[in-house]
Amino acid sequence: MTEYSNRWRAGWRPRGADAGLVLLTLCAPLLMQSSADPSARAWWLLLATEVVTAVALPLRRKLPVTVFLVLLATLVAALVGGAAAGMKLSPLIFLSLAVALYNVGSYCTNWARTWLVVLGGGGAVVAAGVWINQLTAVSAQYRGSSDVIGVLAPMPLAWATGFAALTHRANLAAAERRMADVLREQQLHEQQAAQQERVRIAREMHDVVAHSLTLLVVQAETLRARGGELPAWARTRIDGLAVAGRQAGGELRDLLRVLRGPEDAAPLAPMPGLRDLPELLDRSRAAGAQVDGRIETDTGALPRPVQLTVYRIVQESLTNARRHSPGARVRVDIAEDTGQLRCEVVNSRPAEPVTASWGTGLGLVSMRERVDTLGGELHTGPTDDGGFQVLATLPLRTAPLDAAGV
């Protein structure tokens, strides 16, 4: 309602001002006509002139030169005809001509054609009117000469005022263009600085994280090659470690391509979703975790940002469970509930004593940011039996953007 009201006001304010100016221009001669000539014929002549003025003035912005010539010809005809019949019109009738001349200066940019028409056509109309007036006026007091020049002399001031308004608008437009250019240049510099920072981060991640991850995978593959010398439980753990390392390496490479820019990116693999959860749970089981999974939803019908968020929540929760509660049983429940997707990951208390574990502390923060982006809710905290619970509730309405959940 407020937006509609603002549009209505923005549309009617200039129209109201325009109507007020036209009304003022029309009313001034009517108020002064009785002192110039109170006869009925003079009033009818004034009213006829006012009708032409009322029709022409609203078009002065679209057709400034045409409106000026029409009003000038109408005034000359009215004054010459009135002088021939012994009638006088109020001098304020020239207000409409001043308004029209203001719009000539304010809206005409083709100076050569404008001045040719205004000075040539207007001068010809005035000269013809003065000549006819000298021949047809009923007496000397109705013949115009110096008084006509006195009335028309201030008219260039109206044009100059309009030209000043045109210059002011042009200066404002130029200032706005310069400001827009400055803003675009600033945004370009910011984008370039951000791209350089992303490249720097990608380089650091490649030199530190990717190198360490590659070394981890190589060590795991070396142990797999000597699997005959290891116990069965160790071989299973080594297989899960190698698979997880390769997947993490692939996701890290995709992330580094995105950071470096699209020109460096090869075709990226699709982001993981709910269909990839069974494989994620199997890898956790292969790594020795006890995971019970239950997925009760149509995985193909959910928005991609929602699926990616749920996948990352489960992935981070399983990682935290292995790190902070080794040997604990983990339960993963994903189900739809009244237009929402409910994702719960709960692990029991650790089956063996836990030593201080490394970590950045950003896992839960990342979960919350992802959930907040989609307008959901996240609850995390310890359970009564000494375990830990992660509960996320995500709306199933249309997600903002696929990139928002990445």
Side-chain angles (χ1 to χ4, degrees):
M1 189 63 181
T2 303
E3 183 179 355
Y4 173 79
S5 176
N6 292 337
R7 288 201 304 267
W8 184 86
R9 292 174 183 172
W12 278 101
R13 280 177 180 173
R15 297 177 187 176
D18 188 74
L21 179 61
V22 172
L23 185 62
L24 179 63
T25 304
L26 296 176
C27 288
L30 295 175
L31 295 175
M32 296 295 295
Q33 180 59 35
S34 59
S35 62
D37 188 346
S39 64
R41 292 189 305 167
W43 276 100
W44 281 111
L45 180 60
L46 176 63
L47 291 176
T49 306
E50 296 278 73
V51 169
V52 176
T53 302
V55 174
L57 277 184
L59 303 175
R60 67 189 186 279
R61 291 189 177 91
K62 294 182 179 179
L63 304 169
V65 176
T66 302
V67 169
F68 169 75
L69 293 177
V70 168
L71 290 180
L72 179 62
T74 301
L75 291 177
V76 169
L79 293 173
V80 172
M87 297 179 291
K88 282 189 175 182
L89 297 181
S90 169
L92 293 180
I93 200 171
F94 283 91
L95 282 177
S96 60
L97 190 63
V99 173
L101 197 56
Y102 169 86
N103 284 271
V104 171
S106 181
Y107 292 98
C108 292
T109 55
N110 191 337
W111 304 116
R113 186 179 65 179
T114 299
W115 283 112
L116 177 64
V117 174
V118 171
L119 295 181
V125 170
V126 172
V130 172
W131 179 68
I132 296 173
N133 174 252
Q134 296 293 326
L135 297 177
T136 60
V138 295
S139 63
Q141 64 175 338
Y142 291 101
R143 291 189 180 97
S145 54
S146 60
D147 56 342
V148 173
I149 298 176
V151 171
L152 296 180
M155 290 299 166
L157 182 60
W159 173 87
T161 306
F163 179 76
L166 175 64
T167 304
H168 179 64
R169 290 198 303 270
N171 291 336
L172 286 180
E176 291 177 354
R177 288 193 296 269
R178 288 194 298 270
M179 180 61 68
D181 293 340
V182 171
L183 291 177
R184 282 195 296 268
E185 185 177 0
Q186 181 179 359
Q187 291 176 354
L188 179 61
H189 289 328
E190 291 176 353
Q191 292 174 359
Q192 291 175 346
Q195 179 60 30
Q196 293 174 0
E197 182 65 14
R198 287 196 296 268
V199 171
R200 187 190 68 80
I201 294 174
R203 184 169 58 249
E204 294 295 331
M205 291 181 63
H206 178 270
D207 294 342
V208 179
V209 181
H211 174 74
S212 300
L213 190 59
T214 302
L215 181 61
L216 177 65
V217 174
V218 170
Q219 295 291 344
E221 294 292 348
T222 302
L223 291 175
R224 288 182 64 184
R226 303 181 61 178
E229 304 176 13
L230 300 175
W233 65 268
R235 288 195 298 270
T236 303
R237 299 288 180 88
I238 291 299
D239 291 339
L241 181 62
V243 172
R246 283 194 297 270
Q247 183 191 17
E251 294 182 358
L252 181 60
R253 285 192 297 272
D254 290 342
L255 178 60
L256 294 180
R257 292 190 186 104
V258 173
L259 286 175
R260 288 184 177 276
E263 64 277 4
D264 295 333
L268 302 180
M271 287 297 176
L274 294 185
R275 292 180 178 177
D276 303 302
L277 277 179
E279 182 182 354
L280 176 63
L281 300 182
D282 290 340
R283 289 200 303 269
S284 296
R285 296 187 185 102
Q290 304 178 53
V291 182
D292 299 326
R294 184 175 64 92
I295 303 176
E296 297 181 353
T297 183
D298 184 4
T299 58
L302 298 181
R304 291 297 303 173
V306 173
Q307 295 195 43
L308 177 60
T309 298
V310 172
Y311 183 91
R312 294 305 187 194
I313 289 175
V314 174
Q315 184 182 43
E316 181 65 23
S317 299
L318 293 176
T319 301
N320 290 340
R322 290 196 301 269
R323 182 185 305 159
H324 302 292
S325 299
R329 181 171 292 276
V330 182
R331 175 172 54 86
V332 179
D333 287 329
I334 300 174
E336 293 186 33
D337 182 17
T338 62
Q340 295 180 326
L341 186 66
R342 186 175 183 273
C343 174
E344 182 181 22
V345 182
V346 182
N347 63 267
S348 61
R349 63 186 304 171
E352 54 191 64
V354 180
T355 58
S357 178
W358 57 270
T360 62
L362 298 179
L364 295 180
V365 175
S366 177
M367 287 186 198
R368 190 169 302 279
E369 290 176 349
R370 290 178 182 273
V371 172
D372 289 344
T373 300
L374 299 179
E377 296 181 359
L378 178 69
H379 301 282
T380 61
T383 59
D384 296 336
D385 62 352
F388 197 83
Q389 179 194 43
V390 175
L391 176 61
T393 305
L394 303 173
L396 293 181
R397 63 180 183 273
T398 304
L401 284 174
D402 283 357
V406 176

